[in-house]
Amino acid sequence: MRAPSILFVCMHNACRSQIAEALCRSKAPSSWALSSAGLRPSEGVDPKAARILEEHGLRIREAKPKGFDSLGGREWDCVVEVGCPPAKGLVPAREIRHWNIADPLDGPMELYVELYAKLEKQVAELIVEFRKTTGH
């Protein structure tokens, strides 16, 4: 059985989906295909998102947010919508999940600490589930 592929999506690919991808990369096997994208990618990554990751020894993989056109048309095992409108039909996916996690919208750092904790928990649960179902 092949390794799973997971795409994290948020509105701008500047914060939530970037953090989720970084967390998943740090905890999932390296054979897994992981990425993130935005429905309407912003010009740059949220500096506070980058900072919260750095505080945990992680980093955002790509410096510029990306959209679906950068994904090459692959079919994903799972697309996780991180608090954004539905991505159904925008990218091929076997399964779509929605995590109701609010965007910190450049608020105080405490919001980013809370966001990180929520995403860390959700990502850990997702990895456990995929390890059980795929054997990877």
Side-chain angles (χ1 to χ4, degrees), residues 17-31:
S17 58
Q18 293 276 2
I19 293 172
E21 178 188 358
L23 281 163
C24 202
R25 283 189 184 285
S26 73
K27 298 175 185 315
S30 61
S31 61

Side-chain angles (χ1 to χ4, degrees), residues 92-111:
R94 292 192 176 113
E95 174 187 4
I96 296 179
R97 296 180 184 205
H98 183 79
W99 293 350
N100 189 22
I101 297 177
D103 190 332
L105 298 170
D106 197 30
M109 229 18 228
E110 294 79 32
L111 291 178

Side-chain angles (χ1 to χ4, degrees), residues 31-86:
S31 61
W32 290 22
L34 304 168
S35 194
S36 64
L39 296 172
R40 283 181 268 160
S42 66
E43 290 297 314
V45 169
D46 182 325
K48 291 178 184 173
R51 183 171 147 203
I52 195 72
L53 285 172
E54 287 171 13
E55 288 176 5
H56 291 275
L58 302 173
R59 65 181 185 74
I60 290 176
R61 189 165 181 230
E62 295 187 33
K64 184 164 174 50
K66 54 198 173 302
F68 296 124
D69 57 341
S70 69
L71 301 173
R74 110 179 266 148
E75 180 181 38
W76 297 88
D77 293 317
C78 183
V79 171
V80 179
E81 302 164 340
V82 187
C84 67

Side-chain angles (χ1 to χ4, degrees), residues 107-128:
M109 229 18 228
E110 294 79 32
L111 291 178
Y112 289 81
V113 170
E114 291 172 18
L115 171 65
Y116 183 91
K118 286 178 187 174
L119 287 172
E120 185 175 40
K121 180 180 183 294
Q122 293 285 108
V123 166
E125 290 171 0
L126 183 69
I127 290 170
V128 167

